[in-house]
Amino acid sequence: MSTRHEAAAAAVAVQAASCQTWAELDAVARRCTACPDLVLSRSTVVIGDAPEDSRLVLVGEAPGAEEDRTGRPFVGRSGRLLDELLAEAGLARDQVAVLNVVKCRPPQNRTPGSAEVANCGGWLDRQLTLLAPELICTLGLSAMQRFLGRRMTLTAARGVVHDHAGTRLVATYHPSAALRFGPRGAPRAALREDLRTVAGLLTAP
Ligand code: URA
Ligand code: SF4
């Protein structure tokens, strides 16, 4: 990453660190212009869902068309499948925080680049500090690699409870993979199983 990119990420981190509440972070991040491409492709900044006292945080990749239109994470096809599998595992979507690695929709839904992930990481880290969840669950490759490194594969990361700065972290597939491989495909079964595991790892309220 170039120095210019590092400076942009550092500037976001400084701004994020100064936010003392979720509402404050929401207001400041909405005006973020750190990623030149994404500022052009987004129509809104999708901050994420953060119900009060959520003990679980799900982290996806980036907003898609529906999310960009509504301003909420995981409300399109992937979101509907996610809600269904969460409910099957006994987890109500409205009790779970849902965030993304980047908060602005990339052009043509391309995968976010490493500079964009680094920039938005400042907001994400601050959100995780403010939420202080019991457990983080990453959905898909971008989110897993953001926490566990670019050399880690999803196959190796699955089925292990990792540690992220003192918080337990579980990695699973993205619901879009489950949709792509169909209802009988391996990713859907894996995602279903992993969300059950996640529910089991949360302590009783
Ligand atoms: N895919 C994601 O990774 N995040 C969303 O919010 C929607 C789809
Ligand atoms: Fe800012 Fe994140 Fe949007 Fe980049 S993706 S412009 S860091 S809010």
Side-chain angles (χ1 to χ4, degrees):
M1 228 183 297
S2 74
T3 320
R4 185 166 54 81
H5 286 146
E6 282 165 16
V12 171
V14 168
Q15 275 190 294
S18 76
C19 297
Q20 300 305 315
T21 62
W22 186 270
E24 198 183 330
L25 183 143
D26 183 310
V28 180
R30 264 175 212 291
R31 299 192 299 269
C32 182
T33 55
C35 309
D37 285 4
L38 306 199
V39 167
L40 296 176
S41 57
R42 77 181 184 205
S43 53
T44 192
V45 179
V46 181
I47 301 291
D49 285 346
E52 211 151 302
D53 300 325
S54 31
R55 296 180 298 141
L56 170 64
V57 174
L58 301 177
V59 184
E61 181 177 273
E66 281 291 292
E67 290 77 20
D68 185 64
R69 198 174 59 74
T70 59
R72 285 200 52 219
F74 281 102
V75 292
R77 272 188 84 207
S78 287
R80 284 193 292 278
L81 177 62
L82 179 64
D83 292 356
E84 186 185 315
L85 296 179
L86 282 172
E88 270 185 39
L91 297 164
R93 162 76 188 252
D94 63 4
Q95 293 176 346
V96 172
V98 185
L99 308 177
N100 279 305
V101 160
V102 302
K103 305 195 183 307
C104 303
R105 183 190 185 194
Q108 282 85 47
N109 295 334
R110 67 157 167 76
T111 305
S114 57
E116 292 159 352
V117 171
N119 288 346
C120 219
W123 298 124
L124 180 60
D125 285 340
R126 188 66 186 153
Q127 288 181 313
L128 290 170
T129 301
L130 290 170
L131 291 170
E134 267 179 39
L135 191 67
I136 298 166
C137 175
T138 61
L139 305 172
L141 193 66
S142 290
M144 182 280 285
Q145 289 187 334
R146 198 277 137 161
F147 292 100
L148 302 180
R150 298 282 293 272
R151 296 157 70 107
M152 181 66 95
T153 64
L154 212 42
T155 317
R158 258 196 83 223
V160 182
V161 179
H162 304 269
D163 172 81
H164 171 69
T167 304
R168 292 173 302 165
L169 183 147
V170 168
T172 188
Y173 287 100
H174 194 284
S176 67
L179 288 169
R180 199 157 55 243
F181 288 87
R184 290 171 194 281
R188 173 126 16 157
L191 183 55
R192 178 179 278 123
E193 182 188 327
D194 292 343
L195 291 175
R196 289 216 165 109
T197 302
V198 160
L201 286 169
L202 292 171
T203 56

